[in-house]
Structures are given as C-alpha cells and as structure tokens.
C-alpha cells in the first residue's frame, strides 16, 4: 500500500493531499511495519497545509471537508510506536505556527480535537516526547486572542470552568529542565495578556490561583539555594564567583522578570495575590529579619544576599503595594518579624512550616510538583546551614529593637564594604522606585531636596501643617506631625494582615529628621578609611540625588568632618607622589576624575543589583609578596579614587560645579642642566635603539642570562613626571655617545648596595603600568588583570665610588620626578585656603 506513496506526483498539489489522507483513512493500526509511511504522511500533510494557506485556500477546504483533524486523533489512538506520536505533535505544531488565516485557526481550535490532544495521556517518561508536547502547547498559546481563546475553554454561567491548555501546562511549571520551565512561562504569559475577563477570573481563583502561591514558594527555594551557594563559595576563598552562583543569579532574576510580566498583564487579583505571597513567604519571614547580623531562628538568608534580593525585587517587580510594604517594613525592628514567624493564623510562616502545609492539589501532576518543591525547601533549610556571616564577619552589632531603616544607616556608618554597598543600593533602589509615594520617600529620608521643596511649597499654598515653616528652614527639624499618611496606612495594613506590632516604631523614627539621619550616615561614610573608593562613589551618587548644590545643606559639623577627611586623604595622596608609582598618579587622577564625575552625576545608579553579591569576590585577591610594587600600585589607585570623590564632595559642599577636568598644572620645561637635557633625550619614553650622550653614564656589568655578562653604561634620568633607568651600549666610533638597549621605570626601583659586595647595586624593576589598568581578555571573553611581577637587576660597577654615585643619581632623579608631580598637583590641592592645605603641601615637600 505505502509503496504507492513513492509514485511520481506533484508534491505540492491538492492531488497529493487527497492521496495522503485517503491512505491514512485506510490504516487500521499503526505498528512497526507501516509507521514510516504514517510519519512521512503526517509530515507531508503539514507541509501541504502550510503551502496551501499561503497559495490556495482549496487545500484547507479539503482538510476541513475530510475532517482530517479527527483523523489525526484516530491515528494517535491506534498508534503503538512513540515515533508516530512525536510526528503528530510536530505536525500540529508546524501547522498552528505557520497558518496565517484566522478562519483556519478557528477551525483547528474548534470541535474539541485540540483539547483532546492536550489532555491525552502521553508517556512523558520519554523526554523527546515531552519536548514536542510542550512545543505543541506553546504553539497553541501563540495564536490566542479574545476570539480564539473562547474555543479552548468550557464555560458555565459566563464563568470558565475548564481550560485544559492552561491547567495541563502549569503542571510542568517546575520541571527540572530549564527549557520546559521557560516554555511554560511564555505560554502562561500569552494566556494572561489576552485580557479575557472570564479567563482572568479562572486563573486568579482557586484552585488555579495555587499556581502563584507555588511560584513564590519556588522562588523562596531559589533564594535559599543562592544564599547557601554564596556561603559555601566564600568559605573556599575563591578569586571569582563559581559558575553555579552566576547561573543561580541569572535564573533568579529571570523568575523576577516573569513575576513582572505577570503583573503587567493587569489582572488585579493576581497582583494582590503575588504581593501577599511575597510578603508572607519571603519578605517578612526571610529577607527583612536577615538584615540583622545575629541569627535568632533556624532559617536565615545572609545579610548581603538579602540586600541583593530586596534590590532585585524593587528593581524588577513593579507592584505598588509590594514596594510600599517593603519600604514600610524598614520602619519595623527585625525582632517583630522573628516573633511572628510562627504565627499561622494571620501572620506569616517560616519556610519549614510552608513545606509542611497540607494543601490539596487540583491535579496529580501539579501536586507532585508541589511535593517535589516542598522536599527541595526542606533540604535547603534543614540541618546546619552555614550563612554568609560565617565567611564575612560583620563589623557592626545591630540592636534587634532598632528599626531596619536605622540598621541600614548603621551598616553605612560601621558595616563592612559589602554591607555598605548593599545598604546604599537598597536606598538608591528605593529612591528610583516610581511605585513609592513621595511621602514614603520623605519618611525614609531619601526624598530629593528639589522634590521636598516642591512638596512643602504646595503644602504652604494650601495651608497644610507646617509646610511654610519647614520650607524656609535649613536646620535639623523634628517631624512634628508624625509619619506620613502613606506610611501610616501601610504600617496599619501590615499590622492587620500579618499581626506585626508597629506602635513603638513610629515613636522611635520621629526623633530626628530622617533626611538628616541619612546625611549624617553619608558624611560618616566619607570619613571612613576602610571602604573602597568605588563604594564611596555610590554614596556620592546618593548624596547628589538628595541635595542640590549649596553649603547651606550641610551642617557645620558635617563640613568639619568632610574637611578633616579630605586633609587626611590629601596627605595620603602626597605620600603616593613619593611612593612607587609617582609617574602614574596624574594619569590616574585624570581618568578617575571623569569616571567619578560621571558616576555621581548619573541619573541612575551605575551598578546592577547583582554587583552587591559579586563584589564579595572582587576583593578576594591573590596576596602578592610584601616587597612587590603591584599591591602598592593598587593601593595608590584606591587612594586616588577616594581623593577624587572627597575633592568633588568638597566642591559640591561649597556650591561649585564640577569641572570636566581636574585642576592640574601643565608640564614645564626641563632645566638646561638636567640629565635628560645633557643626555639629549627629548622624549618621555626612551625606546631601544635611540641614540643619546653618555657623558654622565657610569660603566657597569649585568647578566640577564646565567654566564652571559654584558657591558653597559648606566644612566638614571627624569623628564617631568617620567623617569627611567637606562642601559646603553657605547658607540665605538662616536665618542661619548651610545645606543639605548634597555629602559625601565625609575620610580619604585628601591636602590640598595649589596652588604657583602659594595660594588653591586640591586634594583627592583617595576612594570610600566598597573595590571588592573591594562586588563586582558580570556578565551571565554572575560576581562582579567594581566599577571605581572617585578624584575630584579644587579649592576656591578668598577669600584665602590661608582656604585655610590649611581645610587645618588637614582635618588636625586627620583626626587626630581616626585617634585614635578607635586608641582603639577598644587592647584588641585589648593582647593580652599580655609582648608589649611598649603601647610600640608609645604610640610610634605620639605620632608
């Protein structure tokens, strides 16, 4: 029978379609003998229907006339080989995806054939079959609209009572295969975004609403797993985060974007449900209590991971009630959430209790997924969990009765770098969250001053409260009217829905104007010496957002603290001018000035939330030998970053605009009697092969390879901020002239005469650039600092006097180089006579 299939015929013709369907009608059972013909027939029918949809409507009319969809169902019922089921699902997927005619889609979705195939009991132990089935479901969802969706649901009294496409799909929402989970998310979003009110009610009401609750629980499991991964990785002190952590972060953020897409569909009940589940299962029992440093109950996410997750939720999930509830939760002490973690009646539950809930599932497979999820949650929370604080010791002890907002400010004042970065990021994210009411931002103390002035002006115009009095007041004032109405409303809601007492919180939070509390913390941050410069830049961004230009915004105490910190940093910078990398100081100042200005003047924070987590590996660096110049170079870069930030804050506090370039003197002419002039060098970087005079050069010997000693003339020269150690070969036919063979940086050479051989001079040869400023790309595309090490020269001179002369030459040229750096820095350091910096410069120069 099937041999006739191969007879000559126009492959894309109606006759071919008629022949194929006729042959299928004759088949009574599909077995190993005829399966190949059936598979090829199904594949060809899909091709013909797709072709006819674009060229000839007669093809699909024949398809409807012969009720081929019903024939497909019959073939499935009588098929034994799984390969036929695979081809049938693929055939239908191809047809549904490629049909453009609405009439054709309406027919495909009618007569319950599609619903029968959706609910058919396939053997999903076959992974390939599951993959084809999921593709089939997703193809159907891609054709949903307000007209077609009605063909796939069953209704009763205008209410949807059955929607197989949706209910069967969400059974696989938590499948172990990521591609399956992604497809189900796309399908569900296609359903939500149709906008059919009866379908929306169906998905938002029990038992289907259980899906959203399970989604949040699954997300909680991901959060706990991430915290455990971070904790384990930090214990190993790796130099970079493990790929498993990066993958977990990506999957977690994808989940949040899925929540965001769900809420963007505009189903009010679903938005409220997600908010409630997020608060009940994640925010109140896990995230907010974890901001404390001392664990007090059995389940805990590390504080840094918690700060990261709060930022992610605020950044991605745009639900007003959720954002405002998180903000209101910051006015509550963590002890309150811990005390309520076991309250099942009205409050929230711990994760252990969530995993033990006995909730009947609406179908067996979704119930199985729920059981699997609960098992995962138990695994993540049972036993002895090692938290991030075991790997990163907190530098601050937090009173459990202090509201979490004050905890964030204490972290900024006294926490370690990761807690500072996380706290700044949370405040910055709250500031950027458009869903937060301005009165909520004002209560938090992060309402930008320009918006606050506008708010007070409006209040004064309508005669509300003390708006006029506060409008023209620049001093620290008490919040006379208590917390904002918006905050009061959310605190009351938290109290009513989650049995959280907030009575003492409001009183504690009104002692001092919240904005000045934040300003106090930022000023204290700028005075800290143990925080990296780039983290201080994040504090600078927040400061610029809160306050306009003007010294009046700072108290006299603030200004004194900032000036003292600036003085201290200036001293450190002057020390670097006489350190191992003076030739790089000006270049780095210019580069970091632009970066810092761009960072603090940006409209939004420059870092993504994940930087809070990944920064924990940035500072786990290899320990270089103590005598190496590499750590000194990195330290100099840090000093410059801090100096640039504090300098720009000083300008900001004085009400001055930030210039595009730092104030640095131009390079002056070299003295006529300098060694650079005498030798005839007129370039900043002497290159091998360059001719120079060797009148001042000293004869020496050096072996770059064992047993191969070479004779050179040694010369140390400085030209402006550059300086070089030069080894030249004397020209035999041109007296007092030589050719440069080797040149190395002068700075950081650390000359030393050998104790046992007074004719030998030991020199450290520093790299010409700092490794972190000259990164390289690895084979996988990652940027990594070059691995550089210091070299060593041992020069042997003719006599002891020549060796001492060489040493003096190096010291003298190094001083000239450092003096030139200080001279060019002078206008930058003379920021304000009132700062008293001139005596510092004079003292450092004379010493």
């Amino acid at each position: 029978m099937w041999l006739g299939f191969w007879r000559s015929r126009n492959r894309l013709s109606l006759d071919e379609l008629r022949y194929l369907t006729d042959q299928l009608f004759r088949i009574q059972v599909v077995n190993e003998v005829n399966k190949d013909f059936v598979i090829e027939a199904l594949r060809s029918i899909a091709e013909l229907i797709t072709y006819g949809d674009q060229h000839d409507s007669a093809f699909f009319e024949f398809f409807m006339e012969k009720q081929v969809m019903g024939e497909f169902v019959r073939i499935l019922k009588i098929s034994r080989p799984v390969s036929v089921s695979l081809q049938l699902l693929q055939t239908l997927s191809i047809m549904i995806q490629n049909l453009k005619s609405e009439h054709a889609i309406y027919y495909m979705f009618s007569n319950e054939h599609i619903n029968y195939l959706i609910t058919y009991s396939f053997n999903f132990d076959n992974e390939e079959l599951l993959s084809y089935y999921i593709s089939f479901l997703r193809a159907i969802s891609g054709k949903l609209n307000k007209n077609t969706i009605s063909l796939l649901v069953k209704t009763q009294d205008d209410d949807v009572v059955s929607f197989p496409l949706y209910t069967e799909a969400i059974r696989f929402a938590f499948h172990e295969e990521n591609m399956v989970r992604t497809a189900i998310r796309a399908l569900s979003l296609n359903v939500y975004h149709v906008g059919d009110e009866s379908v929306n009610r169906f998905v938002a009401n029990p038992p289907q609403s259980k899906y959203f609750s399970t989604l949040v629980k699954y997300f909680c499991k991901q959060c706990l797993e991430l915290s455990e991964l971070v904790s384990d990785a930090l214990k190993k002190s790796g130099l970079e985060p493990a790929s498993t952590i990066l993958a977990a972060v990506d999957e977690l953020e994808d989940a949040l974007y899925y929540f965001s897409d769900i809420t963007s569909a505009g189903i009010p009940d679903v938005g409220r449900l997600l908010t409630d589940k997020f608060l009940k299962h994640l925010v109140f029992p896990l995230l907010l209590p974890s901001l404390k440093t001392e664990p007090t109950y059995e389940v805990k996410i590390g504080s840094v991971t918690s700060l990261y997750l709060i930022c992610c939720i605020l950044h991605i999930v745009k639900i007003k009630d959720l954002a405002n509830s998180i903000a209101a939760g910051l006015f509550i002490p963590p002890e309150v959430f811990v005390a309520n973690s076991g309250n099942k009646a009205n409050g929230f539950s711990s994760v252990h209790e969530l995993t033990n809930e006995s909730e009947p599932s609406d179908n067996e497979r979704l119930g199985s997924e729920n059981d699997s999820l609960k098992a995962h949650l138990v695994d993540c929370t049972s036993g002895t969990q090692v938290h991030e604080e075991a790997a990163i010791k907190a530098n601050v002890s937090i009173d459990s009765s202090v509201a979490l907002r004050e905890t964030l400010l204490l972290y900024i004042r006294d926490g370690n770098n990761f807690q500072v970065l996380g706290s700044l990021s949370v405040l910055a994210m709250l500031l950027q969250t458009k869903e937060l009411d301005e009165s909520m931002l004002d209560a938090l103390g992060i309402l930008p001053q320009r918006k606050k002035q506008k708010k007070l002006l409006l209040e004064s115009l309508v005669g509300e409260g003390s708006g006029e009095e506060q409008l023209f007041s620049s001093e620290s004032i008490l919040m006379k009217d208590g917390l904002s109405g918006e905050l009061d409303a959310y605190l009351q809601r938290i109290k009513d829905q989650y049995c959280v007492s907030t009575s003492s919180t409001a009183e504690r939070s009104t002692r001092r104007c919240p904005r000045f509390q934040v300003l106090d913390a930022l000023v204290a941050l700028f005075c800290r010496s143990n925080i990296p410069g780039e983290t201080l830049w994040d504090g600078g961004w927040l400061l610029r957002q809160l306050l306009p230009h003007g010294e009046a915004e700072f108290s006299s105490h603030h200004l004194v603290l900032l000036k003292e910190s600036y003085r201290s940093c200036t001293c450190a910078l002057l020390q670097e001018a006489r350190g191992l990398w003076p030739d790089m100081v000006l270049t780095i100042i210019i580069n970091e000035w632009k970066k810092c200005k761009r960072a603090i003047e940006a409209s939004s924070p420059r870092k993504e939330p994940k930087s809070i987590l990944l920064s924990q590996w940035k500072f786990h660096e290899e320990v270089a030998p103590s005598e190496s110049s590499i750590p000194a170079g990195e330290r100099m870069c840090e000093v410059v970053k801090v100096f640039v930030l504090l300098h720009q804050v000083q300008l900001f506090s004085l009400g001055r605009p930030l210039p595009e370039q730092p104030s640095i003197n131009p390079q002056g002419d070299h003295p006529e009697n300098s060694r650079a002039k005498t030798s005839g060098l007129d370039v900043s970087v002497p290159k091998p092969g360059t001719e120079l005079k060797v009148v001042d050069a000293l004869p020496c010997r050096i072996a770059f390879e064992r047993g191969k000693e070479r004779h050179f003339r040694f010369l140390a020269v400085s030209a402006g901020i550059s300086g070089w150690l030069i080894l030249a070969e004397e020209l035999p036919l041109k007296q007092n002239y030589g050719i440069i063979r080797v040149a190395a940086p002068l700075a950081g050479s650390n000359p030393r005469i050998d104790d046992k051989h007074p004719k030998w001079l030991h020199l450290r040869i520093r790299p010409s650039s700092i490794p972190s400023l000259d990164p390289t790309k690895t084979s996988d595309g990652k940027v990594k600092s070059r691995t550089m090490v210091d070299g060593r020269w041992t020069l042997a001179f003719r006599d002891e006097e020549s060796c001492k002369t060489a040493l003096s030459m190096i010291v003298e040229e190094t001083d000239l180089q450092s003096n030139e750096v200080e001279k060019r820095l002078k206008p930058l350091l003379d920021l304000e006579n009132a700062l008293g910096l001139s005596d510092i410069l004079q003292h450092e120069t004379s010493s």
Side-chain angles (χ1 to χ4, degrees):
M1 173 188 67
W2 49 88
L3 294 177
F5 175 74
W6 303 108
R7 67 183 180 178
S8 176
R9 192 185 304 105
N10 184 358
R11 186 171 61 85
L12 297 176
S13 66
L14 190 58
D15 287 340
E16 178 73 4
L17 177 61
R18 185 177 292 108
Y19 169 77
L20 292 173
T21 54
D22 183 58
Q23 294 300 317
L24 284 181
F25 281 132
R26 297 179 182 181
I27 294 177
Q28 299 302 314
V29 63
V30 180
N31 51 33
E32 294 295 327
V33 178
N34 60 0
K35 70 173 184 178
D36 291 339
F37 168 76
V38 174
I39 290 172
E40 184 61 26
L42 292 173
R43 188 198 63 77
S44 298
I45 288 175
E47 183 180 10
L48 287 166
I49 295 301
T50 302
Y51 171 82
D53 184 66
Q54 300 175 12
H55 298 88
D56 188 350
S57 60
F59 282 76
F60 200 81
E61 290 175 0
F62 176 83
F63 184 85
M64 292 188 293
E65 178 185 345
K66 295 298 183 179
Q67 298 183 13
V68 180
M69 278 296 295
E71 184 62 18
F72 285 169
V73 172
R74 188 185 71 85
I75 291 294
L76 179 63
K77 291 178 179 178
I78 64 175
S79 296
R80 295 176 183 174
V82 69
S83 56
V84 176
S85 300
L86 289 172
Q87 184 58 56
L88 179 60
L89 290 173
Q90 185 183 50
T91 294
L92 289 170
S93 298
I94 292 172
M95 290 175 59
I96 293 171
Q97 287 174 346
N98 291 282
L99 289 175
K100 306 298 182 183
S101 168
E102 290 187 8
H103 175 66
I105 293 296
Y106 290 161
Y107 175 79
M108 293 285 291
F109 287 2
S110 61
N111 299 321
E112 286 296 310
H113 294 313
I114 290 292
N115 278 343
Y116 177 84
L117 293 170
I118 290 173
T119 56
Y120 186 79
S121 297
F122 292 101
N123 179 16
F124 292 123
D125 291 337
N126 185 309
E127 294 182 1
E128 187 178 11
L129 181 60
L130 175 61
S131 176
Y132 277 74
Y133 178 76
I134 296 299
S135 297
F136 170 59
L137 298 185
R138 186 170 180 177
I140 298 171
S141 72
K143 296 296 183 178
L144 292 180
N145 56 43
K146 289 189 176 181
N147 295 321
T148 57
I149 200 170
S150 62
L151 302 173
L152 299 175
V153 301
K154 292 182 179 179
T155 60
Q156 182 177 342
D157 298 329
D158 295 330
D159 288 328
V160 175
V161 295
S162 175
F163 188 10
L165 174 65
Y166 181 75
T167 55
E168 294 297 318
I170 61 175
R171 293 180 180 181
F172 301 95
F174 308 104
H175 193 272
E176 61 183 9
E177 177 60 45
N178 183 56
M179 294 296 292
V180 173
R181 297 197 303 271
T182 300
I184 297 306
R185 289 179 180 181
L187 181 153
S188 61
L189 291 175
N190 288 338
V191 171
Y192 305 146
H193 283 271
V194 168
D196 185 281
E197 292 185 4
S198 59
V199 173
N200 289 349
R201 290 194 302 270
F202 175 77
V203 301
N205 291 323
Q208 308 309 326
S209 60
K210 184 188 295 291
Y211 170 63
F212 302 106
S213 177
T214 310
L215 269 179
V216 176
K217 292 179 184 179
Y218 185 79
F219 184 75
C220 290
K221 182 206 77 168
Q222 291 177 299
C223 295
L224 292 165
E225 288 178 342
L226 175 63
S227 184
E228 188 173 1
L229 284 172
V230 170
S231 176
D232 291 343
L234 289 175
K235 286 166 54 182
K236 299 174 183 177
S237 299
L239 298 180
E240 59 182 28
S243 58
T244 53
I245 293 178
L246 298 176
V249 166
D250 290 340
E251 186 172 354
L252 189 144
E253 293 187 4
D254 285 345
L256 285 175
Y257 278 111
Y258 177 51
F259 285 119
S260 177
D261 291 339
I262 292 175
T263 58
S264 68
I267 308 176
D269 290 342
V270 171
R272 286 190 290 268
L273 179 62
L274 286 177
T275 297
D276 177 68
K277 299 304 180 184
F278 261 103
L279 296 176
K280 182 177 180 180
H281 299 325
L282 179 64
V283 175
F284 291 156
L286 289 177
L287 299 188
L288 295 186
S290 294
L291 297 183
K292 288 180 69 235
T293 59
E294 296 297 329
T296 54
Y297 65 128
E298 78 271 19
V299 178
K300 184 173 182 291
I301 293 177
S303 61
V304 178
T305 302
S306 180
L307 291 167
Y308 157 71
L309 290 169
I310 291 172
C311 282
C312 275
I313 293 171
L314 292 172
H315 177 61
I316 298 174
V317 185
K318 304 298 184 181
I319 303 178
K320 181 177 180 179
D321 283 349
L322 178 60
N324 282 276
S325 295
I326 292 174
L330 296 177
F331 290 88
I332 303 173
E335 63 181 6
V336 175
F337 296 115
V338 174
N340 282 269
S341 63
N343 190 333
K344 297 181 183 179
N346 298 309
F348 44 83
S349 303
S350 69
V351 174
H352 277 300
E353 289 166 340
L354 292 176
T355 60
N356 292 325
E357 288 178 359
S358 177
E359 296 179 349
S361 176
D362 60 316
N363 56 61
E364 292 181 0
R365 266 181 274 179
L366 182 57
S368 176
E369 295 292 345
N370 283 335
D371 293 340
S372 176
L373 172 59
K374 291 177 182 180
H376 280 300
L377 285 168
V378 172
D379 290 341
C380 290
T381 57
S382 62
T384 302
Q385 182 178 352
V386 180
H387 305 299
E388 290 167 28
E389 282 69 33
I392 306 175
K393 298 296 184 182
N395 298 327
V396 56
S397 178
I398 303 298
D399 182 359
S400 61
S401 64
V402 174
L404 290 170
R405 175 185 171 276
E406 279 69 30
T407 299
L408 295 180
L409 300 182
L410 285 172
Y411 277 148
I412 293 174
R413 289 191 185 97
D414 303 311
N416 60 39
N417 174 56
F418 317 121
Q419 293 165 336
V420 172
L421 179 59
S423 300
L424 289 173
S425 299
V426 167
L427 293 178
M429 198 58 66
L430 288 166
L431 179 60
Q432 293 280 298
T433 302
K434 296 180 180 179
E435 289 73 25
L436 286 181
D437 187 80
E438 285 189 1
S439 60
M440 184 71 78
L441 294 177
D442 197 16
L444 288 167
I446 56 174
L447 179 66
Q449 182 65 1
R450 63 184 184 278
K451 292 185 177 181
K452 184 175 180 65
Q453 294 284 1
K454 179 181 177 181
K455 176 175 175 287
L456 294 175
L457 178 61
L458 290 174
E459 290 179 358
S460 66
L461 291 175
V462 298
E464 288 187 7
S466 56
E468 184 175 359
E469 177 185 349
Q470 295 184 31
L471 178 63
F472 302 102
S473 173
S474 61
E475 300 177 356
S476 298
I477 56 175
L478 298 178
M479 298 179 65
K480 298 181 178 180
D481 296 326
L483 299 174
S484 69
E486 188 84 5
L487 175 58
D488 281 335
Y490 277 98
L491 287 174
Q492 187 62 43
R493 182 181 300 180
I494 293 173
K495 180 179 179 180
D496 294 341
Q497 294 185 5
Y498 306 102
C499 297
V500 174
S501 175
T502 61
S503 57
S504 61
T505 304
E507 181 180 354
R508 184 182 298 109
S509 300
T510 58
R511 293 175 181 172
R512 178 163 166 75
C513 178
R515 187 169 66 92
F516 283 98
Q517 289 180 323
V518 176
L519 186 57
D520 289 343
L522 291 176
V523 171
L525 172 64
F526 298 145
C527 296
R528 296 183 61 182
S529 59
N530 61 341
I531 300 299
E534 291 197 9
T535 302
L536 297 181
W537 290 6
D538 295 329
W541 179 88
L542 184 59
L543 180 69
R544 288 294 301 267
Q545 293 294 313
L546 298 182
L547 303 176
H549 293 290
E551 188 174 3
E553 300 299 331
F554 295 89
S555 69
S556 58
H557 180 61
H558 291 156
L559 295 175
V560 169
L561 291 175
L562 290 174
K563 289 175 182 178
E564 288 297 328
S565 181
Y566 183 66
R567 283 192 182 96
S568 176
C569 192
T570 300
C571 291
L573 182 65
L574 288 171
Q575 290 175 1
E576 294 299 334
R578 295 194 170 274
L580 305 185
W581 296 83
D583 50 333
M584 295 292 294
V585 168
L586 294 180
T587 300
I588 294 176
I589 285 177
I590 293 172
N591 291 338
E592 298 301 332
W593 181 278
K594 296 177 183 177
K595 293 179 183 177
C596 182
K597 182 177 185 294
R598 186 162 55 245
I600 66 177
E601 290 184 344
S603 59
S604 59
R606 62 197 176 94
K607 297 178 181 178
E608 296 181 351
K610 69 176 67 175
S611 65
I612 302 172
L613 276 183
L614 303 185
S615 67
Q616 297 175 97
W617 282 269
K618 183 177 180 180
F619 298 98
H620 278 71
E621 298 178 348
E622 293 179 343
V623 179
S626 58
E627 66 274 9
S628 171
S629 68
I630 306 302
E634 301 294 343
R635 183 182 65 245
M636 184 269 289
C637 290
E638 272 301 309
V639 169
V640 170
K641 289 178 180 179
V642 175
F643 170 80
V644 166
L645 182 277
L646 293 177
H647 189 96
Q648 294 189 7
V649 169
Q650 286 293 320
L651 291 175
F652 175 67
S653 68
L654 295 171
R656 299 182 183 180
L658 299 182
E660 294 296 327
Q661 297 282 350
S663 301
I664 294 176
N665 278 330
Q667 180 172 327
D669 296 331
H670 307 318
E672 290 297 328
N673 61 349
S674 68
R675 287 189 176 88
K677 284 283 187 180
T678 304
S679 63
L681 284 175
D682 57 356
V683 293
S684 59
V685 182
K687 297 180 179 179
T690 304
E691 186 177 294
L692 80 165
K693 294 180 181 179
V694 292
V695 176
D696 297 328
L698 300 170
C700 68
R701 292 171 290 121
I702 185 173
F704 291 113
E705 299 178 52
R706 184 180 295 273
K708 294 183 179 181
E709 196 174 73
R710 299 178 62 181
H711 292 263
F712 290 106
R713 300 291 291 269
F714 171 75
L715 184 67
V717 298
S718 64
I721 63 173
S722 299
W724 299 93
L725 304 172
I726 296 174
L727 296 178
E729 284 186 342
E730 193 170 1
L731 292 174
L733 301 179
K734 195 172 183 180
Q735 190 176 6
N736 294 329
Y737 278 86
I739 296 293
I740 297 175
R741 294 306 182 193
V742 184
L746 169 67
S749 57
N750 191 28
R752 180 179 59 85
I753 296 176
D754 191 89
D755 295 334
K756 297 181 180 180
H757 302 85
K759 298 179 183 179
W760 291 4
L761 182 65
H762 298 290
L763 300 175
R764 173 176 54 198
I765 304 304
R766 195 206 70 193
S768 58
S769 64
I770 300 173
S772 62
L773 302 180
D774 188 23
T776 183
K777 280 192 176 182
T778 60
S779 57
D780 56 358
K782 295 181 180 179
V783 177
K784 189 176 182 179
S785 296
R786 296 179 183 273
T787 302
M788 296 183 181
V789 296
D790 293 334
R792 292 289 185 271
W793 286 0
T794 299
L795 304 178
F797 293 90
R798 292 177 178 175
D799 48 45
E800 296 180 19
E801 189 62 32
S802 296
C803 189
K804 291 178 180 179
T805 301
L807 175 63
S808 299
M809 183 193 306
I810 295 173
V811 172
E812 181 181 341
E813 292 299 319
T814 301
D815 284 341
L816 291 173
Q817 182 183 23
S818 296
N819 290 340
E820 179 65 20
V821 173
E822 290 175 347
K823 177 182 176 182
R824 296 187 63 183
L825 280 175
K826 195 173 188 304
L828 184 66
L829 302 183
D830 286 343
L831 174 64
E832 189 73 24
N833 292 332
L835 298 180
L837 296 176
S838 57
D839 58 336
I840 296 177
L841 180 61
Q842 185 177 3
H843 173 72
E844 291 292 332
T845 303
S846 62
S847 62

